[in-house]
Every structure is written in structure tokens, then in C-alpha cells.
Amino acid sequence: MGEQFRDNYFLAVRMGLVLVLEIYIVLWQSVLTGASAWVLLLLALFLGAIAAKELVKPQKQVVFLIGAAAVLYFIILLLGNEFILLGIFLCYEFLTYFKLKILWYIFPVGMAFIPNEINAYMQIILGLLMGIIYLQHNFVVESYRQQAKEDTVAEQSLKHSIYRREKEMQEEVRRSLLAAENQMLEERAQLSQTLHDKLGHNINGSVYQLEAVKVLMEKEPDRSKKMIQAVIDQLRSGMDEIRAILCKERPAKYELAILQIERLCEDCQSKGVNTELTIEGELVQVPEKYLEIILDNAYEAVSNSMKYAKCTRIEIKIYVLNQMIRCSISDNGVGCEDIVDGMGISGMRRRVREVNGILDFESAVGFTINMLLPL
């Protein structure tokens, strides 16, 4: 109900205005003299034409305005210039319909100087009042209403854009994680193949020699001892090879972490946001739990920057010190003075708190997330 009134309030004001004018003119010095029925009929037709104009399409409204002008002409012709106030009102209706410039709104007031029985000063005041009402609506209220419509469209477009970018970011993160998992599977398969190729023959040879020792143990004990020692040496050699292969072939967690962060930066670059990654210190010394925290928080921070910050640059800095790790993710966007702990920030705090770390935010220029993780 309230919204419907806001949309049609000006129509109600205009109908009330023309009705008040008609009553005022009719009662002024007993204008109705003998032809009251005809006067009331013509005034009703005038009011009806003005009201009906609002019920048709804008292209046809001018027909009703012309009809109202014809009715007003007969009223003035029959009863005199006392109804000139309705002419001023009708002029403003024409100005509103044709959307003329503000300068034109001065001219209808000049009709108040046409001689008639009604006080000229009163007509001027009423004409100015009508002009102010129409000016306020046509040039102030309508401009705000148009701006509100544009803001609503822009807001909906922004929400749609944010939703689309969020979906794209989630898809990119999913693809990055899938690529990292595929790389881990490939490295595991390569590790399995290497172990099979290098150690399968060694272990099979040891089994054959032990089978032979079992047969020769009672008949040739000295030879059996030599064969057992050879098997022991061969197995020790195999263990050394296993250690060497695992040290060489095992996928390092820190390498995967760097790979994922670099892919995150590449995703941002592809969306037009310049992203810079800085790593100082020995990341190989960082525990896997810490790497997971840094990765998860980096994904969350970058996702928020891409969705809300309207930034053109993101910096990710990781410093591995003697006793702690310092990580910061910053952007040059609009910043945020009032930080609300939603799901994302609450998750960051929880992850950092699990390792007795410190998480804080800066918003002097852009937005920065700082993490301190004790080693």
C-alpha cells in the first residue's frame, strides 16, 4: 500500500489541487448564478479529462489534455475569466507532458494578470504555488526517482557480477586443487614404478638366495653363512636405495604449496588483477599444518579481495624466520573500516588460533591480512 501511494502521490496531489481550485472559484463571490448545473457538469468533465489522462498510454495523454483545454474554453466563454486558475493548472500539465525546460514554468503565472473578479494577488500566489509543486516533482522528485532506479539496476548488476565472479573463483580454486591432487597422484605413481623397477629384482634375488640357503644349511654350513651375509648386504643396499628414492622422489608438501599459490596468482592475473608473490626463507622447514593454514587463508583472502575490494593489485608475502612465519595478503581496494566476522574471517581466526598464532587486519590503504605463526 505504501509503495503504491509513493508511485501515485503526485496524481493524488494534482487531483486534489484541481478540485480545490474548482471549489474555490465556484464559491468566490457566488460565481454560480442560474447556470450551476451546467457549470458543475463542465467542471466535472474537466476533472474527468485530467484524471482519465493518467489511465492511458503516454502517447494518448495529449488527447485528453486537448479535451480538457476545450472544456475549459467553454467554461471561460460562458462564465468569464474567473476560471483562469484552471488554465494555469492546465498549462503546467502541458509543460509536464512535453517535459519542457525549467524556464517555461514562469510563463503560466502571467495568466494570473488577466482581469477577472478574483483578486489578482491571490491568483498570482496560487499560480506560484502550483508552479512550485510541479517544479519540485518534475525536476527534484523525478531526478531522485530516476537516480534510485539507476542505483537499483547498478546494484543488481553488481550483485550479479559478484555472484558470477564468486562462482568463477570457486571453480578456479576447485580446478587448482584438482590439478594439485592429480600431480600428487602422478608423483605417487612414478614413485611406485621407481620402487618396482629398482627394488623388485633385488628383493626377488634375496628370496631365491634364502631358499637356496634353506637347502644347503645342513650340508654346506660355511657356504650358507656366506650366502646369508650376501643377502643381508643386498637387503641393506636395498634399504639405502629406498631411502634415496624416497628422499628424491617423494613430493614435497612445500613444493605443492608453492605451486598452488602460484596458480592462485595466475588466476588473479587472468582476471585483470596484478598479483605478486614474495617468499623469503626456507619454506621446506615449515610444518605441513602451517602450510595448510597459509594456503586456506590465502585462498579466502584473495577470494574476498576479488569479490568486494574492487582492487587492481594483490600482494602475497611469506617470510620464514627463525622462530615464526609471517604471512600477509594485501590489496589496494576500497578497504573496510568495520570488519564483520563472517564465515570466511571466522575460519581464518580459527585456523590461526589452532597453532597459537596471531591474526590481525589493516585497512589504512586497501585491506591487509597479517598472520604470525610460531614455529
Side-chain angles (χ1 to χ4, degrees), residues 310-336:
K310 300 179 182 178
C311 60
T312 59
R313 180 178 177 81
I314 297 176
E315 292 184 356
I316 303 174
K317 298 179 180 179
I318 303 173
Y319 300 99
V320 182
L321 309 175
N322 291 331
Q323 299 296 326
M324 68 176 57
I325 306 166
R326 182 178 182 275
C327 177
S328 66
I329 302 101
S330 60
D331 62 57
N332 63 344
V334 297
C336 178

Side-chain angles (χ1 to χ4, degrees), residues 86 91 152 195 260 299 332 370:
L86 295 181
C91 286
T152 301
L195 290 174
Q260 288 178 285
Y299 274 115
N332 63 344
N370 294 314

Side-chain angles (χ1 to χ4, degrees), residues 63-279:
V63 176
F64 288 90
L65 287 175
I66 295 173
V71 173
L72 182 60
Y73 171 77
F74 284 109
I75 292 175
I76 295 175
L77 186 65
L78 294 173
L79 300 174
N81 294 336
E82 285 77 11
F83 291 88
I84 205 68
L85 283 173
L86 295 181
I88 297 175
F89 171 84
L90 191 60
C91 286
Y92 285 123
E93 285 289 318
F94 274 100
L95 292 176
T96 300
Y97 176 79
F98 290 107
K99 298 180 180 179
L100 297 180
K101 294 182 179 180
I102 192 170
L103 185 63
W104 287 91
Y105 284 73
I106 300 175
F107 294 101
V109 182
M111 297 176 65
F113 293 96
I114 298 176
N116 57 70
E117 296 296 328
I118 299 177
N119 186 284
Y121 293 107
M122 183 61 67
Q123 288 192 137
I124 293 171
I125 293 173
L126 292 174
L128 290 174
L129 177 62
M130 284 188 281
I132 292 172
I133 293 173
Y134 277 87
L135 282 172
Q136 181 186 28
H137 178 267
N138 295 341
F139 294 95
V140 179
V141 175
E142 280 299 315
S143 64
Y144 279 117
R145 182 175 292 179
Q146 183 64 29
Q147 184 64 44
K149 290 181 180 179
E150 293 176 358
D151 292 342
T152 301
V153 172
E155 181 182 0
Q156 294 298 326
S157 177
L158 181 60
K159 287 182 178 179
H160 179 72
S161 177
I162 291 174
Y163 178 77
R164 187 182 68 253
R165 291 176 66 180
E166 182 178 4
K167 287 294 184 183
E168 291 175 354
M169 178 63 70
Q170 291 175 353
E171 184 63 23
E172 291 293 338
V173 170
R174 189 189 68 81
R175 284 199 294 265
S176 297
L177 292 175
L178 183 60
E181 291 176 0
N182 289 337
Q183 183 175 357
M184 292 178 64
L185 292 175
E186 291 175 1
E187 292 179 351
R188 287 175 181 174
Q190 183 179 359
L191 176 61
S192 299
Q193 188 64 43
T194 302
L195 290 174
H196 176 271
D197 294 341
K198 291 186 175 294
L199 299 178
H201 178 72
N202 190 327
I203 294 175
N204 285 334
S206 298
V207 171
Y208 294 148
Q209 290 186 54
L210 289 175
E211 290 288 346
V213 169
K214 185 172 65 174
V215 176
L216 298 175
M217 188 176 296
E218 295 180 358
K219 297 180 180 179
E220 301 182 30
D222 294 335
R223 184 181 176 186
S224 298
K225 290 179 181 180
K226 291 180 181 180
M227 293 177 66
I228 291 174
Q229 186 61 47
V231 171
I232 292 172
D233 294 339
Q234 189 172 3
L235 291 175
R236 283 176 176 171
S237 176
M239 287 300 298
D240 292 337
E241 287 188 20
I242 291 175
R243 293 190 184 96
I245 291 171
L246 291 177
C247 290
K248 180 180 179 181
E249 301 292 340
R250 183 176 57 190
K253 184 69 175 181
Y254 78 93
E255 292 179 352
L256 293 177
I258 294 175
L259 177 64
Q260 288 178 285
I261 294 178
E262 287 178 345
R263 286 181 176 172
L264 178 62
C265 294
E266 291 175 0
D267 292 338
C268 295
Q269 293 278 11
S270 66
K271 293 178 173 60
V273 178
N274 185 23
T275 308
E276 181 178 343
L277 173 63
T278 302
I279 300 177

